[in-house]
Amino acid sequence: SNYLDPKSPTWGNALQSALKSGYSQEYSENIMALMPDWLSENIGKTKRVIKAEKNLDDALDGKLDDPERSRVIIEKPFGTDLQSANYLQSVVAGYLREKQVYRIDHYLGKDTVNNILATRFSNILLEPLWNRNFIEEIQIFATETIGCEGRAQYYDTAGAVRDMLQNHMLQVLALIAMEPPCRNDAKEIRREKVKVLAATRLGDNVVLGQYDGYKSEEGVKPDSQTPTFVAGELYVDNWRWKGVPFYFMTGKKMPVGCVEVVIKFKAPPQQLFEGHECNDRIVMRLQPDPHLDMRIDIKSPGLNDMGEPALL
Ligand code: BG6
């Protein structure tokens, strides 16, 4: 809602008044929000545009030139494929120092997502089991009941793969699958994530879908092929995860909205109790109603040798 259209002749005035009144006093001098399509085409020209806009230049008072006082936050879409993303990165790097640039994935601001690292690495209980010897499969779901809610102009160019899979879900996968970082800081965590993502590949099974009624929503092309649903399998080809499928699913207008990671364990080598379902799992519910469940088999109460599932 704070986007300003730089193509508008009154952009300078609009920005100035946004700077003066739209944001908190503390940050207002530095904040400028631009539409994504404009940014991807023109980021290299941003400084020049600002220089040409006398009002803006006064308003910003040269702050964009000062790496200590200015930051640029970039949200998706960051290009549309590897080539355009590389190009955009080269332009960004030509104008800004790396420490000025934040590439935002809002899932990383969720406490429950950050808790994946704490759960794994602040306890000794899980980590010895966290590998291909004990884990059969991992499922990552991010379903939503909402549709694209008036964002068709963006969403129809992106779809479920670019909107949710390549960013939010891969970030969750990276936190689940990465090796422990040697320090809890951004650089070391990034280093481990890059390694795990470099080892990740798409499996053969992928399903795309589109919800009924999507094509008739305002802003959507009537013959749109944009997927609003994607499910499939990913593999992480390294010593820890070789052969373990990471099943993913994300979609809009689904019956249930839920972001969850399920770790399904292998069956024990021998069955001593009848009725054992070999269904041991850990469920990390990221939203809504965040919780972590451990589902294991216990003995049924009474004079029997039956097992039954229990939730811890
Ligand atoms: C955004 C996507 O990044 O994440 C939206 O563009 C999606 O389409 C949203 O609805 C989901 O975020 P959250 O925090 O509601 O899970």
Side-chain angles (χ1 to χ4, degrees):
S1 61
N2 288 324
Y3 284 148
L4 305 172
D5 182 357
K7 289 173 203 150
S8 141
T10 55
W11 182 55
N13 293 340
L15 178 59
Q16 257 206 330
S17 57
L19 289 170
K20 284 191 180 135
S21 60
Y23 301 96
S24 83
Q25 286 295 313
E26 194 183 348
Y27 299 110
S28 65
E29 288 176 307
N30 291 329
I31 290 180
M32 177 172 69
L34 302 173
M35 305 228 283
D37 58 340
W38 186 90
L39 183 68
S40 56
E41 285 163 24
N42 295 285
I43 186 165
K45 298 179 204 150
T46 306
K47 280 188 185 177
R48 262 176 282 144
V49 171
I50 286 170
K51 290 280 173 225
E53 283 271 359
K54 178 85 181 75
N55 288 346
L56 281 183
D57 205 20
D58 291 348
L60 290 168
D61 194 21
K63 288 186 181 64
L64 206 67
D65 290 328
D66 180 352
E68 299 307 323
R69 296 175 70 197
S70 61
R71 298 287 181 268
V72 173
I73 299 175
I74 304 175
E75 256 212 290
K76 69 169 188 283
F78 192 76
T80 51
D81 55 16
L82 181 61
Q83 195 186 6
S84 56
N86 280 338
Y87 170 70
L88 194 50
Q89 174 54 24
S90 71
V91 176
V92 168
Y95 284 83
L96 299 159
R97 297 188 194 171
E98 181 56 27
K99 71 173 186 181
Q100 289 177 274
V101 183
Y102 293 88
R103 297 172 195 82
I104 292 290
D105 181 320
H106 84 275
Y107 260 49
L108 300 179
K110 290 182 191 284
D111 228 12
T112 50
V113 172
N114 288 315
N115 191 36
I116 296 172
L117 277 192
T119 310
R120 284 188 61 199
F121 301 133
S122 302
N123 305 289
I124 201 74
L125 182 67
L126 301 180
E127 203 48 28
L129 305 177
W130 213 255
N131 59 59
R132 62 193 299 277
N133 299 324
F134 297 96
I135 291 177
E136 187 162 298
E137 68 181 55
I138 293 184
Q139 304 162 5
I140 302 176
F141 303 120
T143 59
E144 298 179 280
T145 52
I146 57 169
C148 55
E149 313 295 302
R151 296 161 70 228
Q153 193 193 1
Y154 149 72
Y155 190 86
D156 204 39
T157 65
V161 176
R162 289 183 174 128
D163 188 53
M164 291 292 291
L165 177 61
Q166 58 87 28
N167 46 339
H168 305 324
M169 298 187 80
L170 283 187
Q171 286 293 341
V172 171
L173 180 144
L175 291 168
I176 291 286
M178 68 192 251
E179 296 302 313
C182 65
R183 269 189 303 280
N184 189 10
D185 70 29
K187 193 170 154 202
E188 296 304 331
I189 291 173
R190 182 174 188 278
R191 201 195 295 274
E192 295 304 336
K193 280 183 177 173
V194 167
K195 273 158 55 182
V196 105
L197 292 173
T200 302
R201 76 180 153 83
L202 196 58
D204 293 335
N205 299 315
V206 179
V207 179
L208 298 172
Q210 190 186 74
Y211 63 78
D212 281 345
Y214 174 73
K215 287 187 180 62
S216 44
E217 285 188 18
E218 199 184 333
V220 175
K221 286 193 248 56
D223 59 349
S224 172
Q225 294 295 308
T226 300
T228 63
F229 172 93
V230 58
E233 55 190 6
L234 290 159
Y235 288 91
V236 178
D237 293 332
N238 62 17
W239 276 45
R240 190 191 277 263
W241 297 115
K242 184 83 187 169
V244 178
F246 286 70
Y247 296 114
F248 62 84
M249 177 171 75
T250 182
K252 291 198 180 289
K253 288 263 172 124
M254 301 287 283
V256 174
C258 168
V259 182
E260 198 165 87
V261 180
V262 179
I263 317 289
K264 185 168 185 288
F265 289 92
K266 290 189 169 169
Q270 201 181 357
Q271 304 290 337
L272 297 181
F273 292 87
E274 286 175 42
H276 187 281
E277 291 177 15
C278 305
N279 230 350
D280 297 356
R281 58 190 64 202
I282 289 175
V283 177
M284 293 177 170
R285 167 70 70 82
L286 306 182
Q287 67 187 45
D289 178 27
H291 57 255
L292 186 145
D293 285 342
M294 242 179 241
R295 185 210 170 286
I296 61 170
D297 273 18
I298 58 164
K299 189 186 135 352
S300 294
L303 287 175
N304 62 53
D305 278 336
M306 297 289 288
E308 70 174 29
L311 215 55
L312 304 185

